[in-house]
Amino acid sequence: MIGTPGVKWGDAEKAQWLSQQSVKRSYQDEVLSKLEPLRDHFDIEQYGSLSYDTEKYPLYAVKTRNWTADRPTVLVTGGVHGYETSGVQGAVRFLQTSALQYSDRFNIVVAPCVSPWGYETINRWNPLAIDPNRSFIGEGGTEESSALIRYVATLRTNPVVNIIAHFDLHETTDTDNTTFRPARAARDAIEITCWNIPDGFYTVGNSENPQPEFQKAVIEGVSKVTHVAEADEDGRLIGEKIQQFGVINYPCRELGLCMSLTGAQYVTTTEVYPDSPRVTDEICAEAQVAVITSGLDFILRKG
């Protein structure tokens, strides 16, 4: 236990927490090495680096080529929470298998690993014990969010484009209960009242612009790949009232969520459950791809 129960962490407690973190996997080997072969068909842009180690943690985005102003633009983000593996690997898999199929109808940009330090250390937070996915407010409250905010601002010019959709790829894992919720309770000196971990996939829509038909199309597409979470006995998922099968809504701008970044017409945050005995790493990655392709197909049908 770090700190004193009932007292919020200060700098000393955050430093103690950081001292207990260690690298458990390689951003270079598991992410960056998979981007290099994509250079034959995509443009790869470095949009920043993290000061924790600028050489080790460069930030990259991958773009389809020949953007035009008359095509709608789509943003895919993965690894905002670095520990959520299929968010990262699903974003990469989409580039490897599906993005080019849509490149004549959409301008597509993918930031596959927004939080590489979190990816390597398998963490929800960054080294300052801040959650990047509560930091997309104004110019950003973390290096991870600020770099992406600045980069997305540059995408809206040359050519001037309309960002129509944003897919933010996440997971809900058992370690939320064993590690991250207890840490948050200690850091913020609060009591955690919801310990629900849904068994299956679900999406989070924007309560200010929920787009229920879009969310439904995503759920229908994902259900062909993996199981969708059922609501609990109170009609809730992860403590939130269910809006339709497999869908809850959050006030994304108020919470500073990454999916508030663009103000796009269609936004969704995915939540894969990787700890179910019914799934594999492969299924989790393919579920993330199904989200994007199902969403894009819906947009094309809507015209």
Side-chain angles (χ1 to χ4, degrees), residues 63 66-70 107 154-162:
K63 297 172 62 179
N66 303 314
W67 280 32
T68 62
D70 61 336
N107 306 314
T154 70
L155 297 176
R156 298 182 186 274
T157 61
N158 195 29
V160 175
V161 297
N162 170 41

Side-chain angles (χ1 to χ4, degrees), residues 97-116:
T97 65
S98 303
L100 288 178
Q101 300 170 25
Y102 294 91
S103 61
D104 61 339
R105 288 160 290 179
F106 297 98
N107 306 314
I108 299 173
V109 58
V110 179
C113 192
V114 175
S115 300

Side-chain angles (χ1 to χ4, degrees), residues 6-296:
V7 179
K8 292 183 179 181
W9 287 3
D11 291 342
E13 289 80 12
K14 292 175 183 178
Q16 182 183 353
W17 172 83
L18 179 58
S19 73
Q20 297 176 1
Q21 311 311 309
S22 62
V23 170
K24 299 178 177 67
R25 56 187 178 184
S26 171
Y27 174 54
Q28 173 64 47
D29 293 347
E30 297 185 17
V31 183
L32 297 185
S33 66
K34 295 179 180 180
L35 301 186
E36 282 304 310
L38 299 175
R39 290 186 184 275
D40 291 341
H41 300 288
F42 297 88
D43 292 330
I44 300 180
E45 299 179 342
Q46 182 174 349
Y47 66 91
S49 60
L50 300 180
S51 67
Y52 325 132
D53 189 326
T54 56
E55 292 187 6
K56 190 175 183 181
Y57 298 126
L59 302 170
Y60 287 103
V62 183
K63 297 172 62 179
T64 52
R65 291 177 172 162
N66 303 314
W67 280 32
T68 62
D70 61 336
R71 284 195 212 115
T73 299
V74 174
L75 171 65
V76 178
T77 47
V80 176
H81 287 148
Y83 75 109
E84 295 169 356
T85 307
S86 74
V88 177
Q89 298 302 330
V92 173
R93 181 72 59 87
F94 170 69
L95 288 165
Q96 293 170 328
T97 65
S98 303
L100 288 178
Q101 300 170 25
Y102 294 91
S103 61
D104 61 339
R105 288 160 290 179
F106 297 98
N107 306 314
I108 299 173
V109 58
V110 179
C113 192
V114 175
S115 300
W117 181 88
Y119 185 85
E120 287 205 329
T121 61
I122 311 184
N123 260 297
R124 182 181 183 90
W125 298 341
N126 71 5
L128 302 179
I130 301 173
D131 186 339
N133 202 36
R134 298 297 185 274
S135 303
F136 284 85
I137 298 174
E139 296 181 356
T142 63
E143 290 188 29
E144 294 84 355
S145 59
S146 295
L148 189 60
I149 289 168
R150 289 192 299 269
Y151 177 66
V152 169
T154 70
L155 297 176
R156 298 182 186 274
T157 61
N158 195 29
V160 175
V161 297
N162 170 41
I163 300 179
I164 196 172
H166 178 191
F167 301 88
D168 190 29
L169 311 183
H170 287 256
E171 295 180 339
T172 299
T173 74
D174 286 348
T175 55
D176 287 358
N177 272 355
T178 59
T179 302
F180 299 113
R181 286 172 177 166
R184 177 174 170 242
R187 182 196 65 181
D188 298 342
I190 60 173
E191 180 182 357
I192 301 295
T193 58
C194 176
W195 297 88
N196 177 252
I197 301 289
D199 182 3
F201 178 91
Y202 64 100
T203 68
V204 181
N206 177 10
S207 59
E208 299 172 1
N209 179 28
Q211 295 290 340
E213 292 183 12
F214 172 71
Q215 307 295 342
K216 181 180 179 182
V218 166
I219 290 293
E220 288 176 349
V222 170
S223 66
K224 299 173 184 177
V225 178
T226 190
H227 63 293
V228 176
E230 299 282 350
D232 64 19
E233 61 274 11
D234 297 320
R236 295 176 180 272
L237 286 172
I238 206 164
E240 295 295 322
K241 182 179 179 181
I242 195 168
Q243 301 299 313
Q244 59 175 299
F245 180 53
V247 180
I248 61 173
N249 290 335
Y250 280 165
C252 66
R253 193 173 302 279
E254 176 185 328
L255 294 174
L257 302 183
C258 182
M259 69 172 175
S260 70
L261 172 60
T262 63
Q265 181 177 357
Y266 301 106
V267 298
T268 193
T269 294
T270 68
E271 296 290 351
V272 167
Y273 179 50
D275 297 309
S276 170
R278 300 166 62 181
V279 304
T280 62
D281 291 347
E282 178 72 13
I283 288 173
C284 292
E286 286 297 323
Q288 303 282 18
V289 175
V291 167
I292 306 166
T293 57
S294 298
L296 295 181

